[in-house]
Amino acid sequence: MGLFTKDIKTFDDLFVHTLRDVYHAEHQILKALPKMIDKTTDGGLRDALSAHLVETEGHVRRLEQVFQMLGVEAKAVTCPAIDGIIKEANEIAADVADKQVLDAAIVAAAQAVEHYEITRYGSLATWAKELGREDCASVLVATLDEEKAADTKLTQIAKGRVNAEAA
Ligand code: FE
Ligand code: ZN
Ligand code: FE
């Protein structure tokens, strides 16, 4: 569902569209993370991704909570951006032969996912406040904070160990 279809007329429409976009993204991430966890050989990286998989289930539930608060149907619209990020992650994982280099590639791919989510939730939380929906904003900020923390954790894993082992 592109932004250039004319079914997005108002700022409210844009807000709901983007919630549905990230709802699609969270479901795709729920499917992608277990594959990334399977491929990693670093215990700390596996633990971090596993912990974030559990958080991601909560992100889906929070979005459903926001849809309910707004009185709109919880449904997904295809997000080509996250589909591309996940496709690239799968392709690079298939192409890397060395296990330790693969761990470095998985961290980078996971951080691309987190950065995508940080930009979406950042916009959504700001828009919710602008629309006078502080209630929705606080739910979205709770997820935003977990995405930022996951990204920070991945940076620590990369800089602390994984990149050095790959080098
Ligand atoms: Fe998420
Ligand atoms: Zn979209
Ligand atoms: Fe995330």
Side-chain angles (χ1 to χ4, degrees):
M1 193 80 63
L3 278 181
F4 301 107
T5 53
K6 302 291 188 201
D7 53 337
I8 299 171
K9 295 184 180 71
T10 66
F11 197 27
D12 280 285
D13 294 342
L14 179 64
F15 180 54
V16 172
H17 169 86
T18 307
L19 285 167
R20 288 174 171 162
D21 174 292
V22 79
Y23 191 56
H24 166 91
E26 294 287 12
H27 281 98
Q28 297 313 113
I29 295 162
L30 274 182
K31 284 195 256 176
L33 273 174
K35 295 180 200 164
M36 293 167 91
I37 291 164
D38 278 349
K39 284 177 188 138
T40 184
T41 54
D42 183 276
L45 176 55
R46 197 180 306 122
D47 289 349
L49 293 174
S50 299
H52 197 57
L53 176 58
V54 175
E55 286 181 336
T56 300
E57 289 165 0
H59 300 171
V60 170
R61 285 195 297 272
R62 284 204 192 101
L63 286 170
E64 287 164 352
Q65 194 184 338
V66 173
F67 287 126
Q68 196 169 17
M69 289 161 119
L70 295 169
V72 300
E73 186 192 349
K75 67 173 188 185
V77 297
T78 301
C79 171
I82 196 68
D83 289 351
I85 289 169
I86 291 172
K87 183 169 183 274
E88 186 183 52
N90 291 335
E91 285 172 4
I92 193 90
D95 284 349
V96 177
D98 181 271
K99 283 185 189 319
Q100 289 181 320
V101 176
L102 179 58
D103 285 337
I106 288 169
V107 175
Q111 289 197 274
V113 171
E114 295 316 314
H115 281 238
Y116 160 84
E117 295 185 282
I118 289 165
T119 176
R120 289 295 142 101
Y121 282 106
S123 297
L124 284 166
T126 304
W127 292 352
K129 286 177 196 158
E130 193 64 43
L131 289 163
R133 295 303 305 245
E134 286 290 337
D135 55 341
C136 298
S138 68
V139 175
L140 294 163
V141 166
T143 295
L144 177 61
D145 288 346
E146 288 179 356
E147 309 295 15
K148 286 180 179 171
D151 181 54
T152 300
K153 178 79 186 166
L154 288 166
T155 297
Q156 286 166 355
I157 289 169
K159 289 190 173 171
R161 181 176 64 251
V162 166
N163 290 350
E165 286 172 358

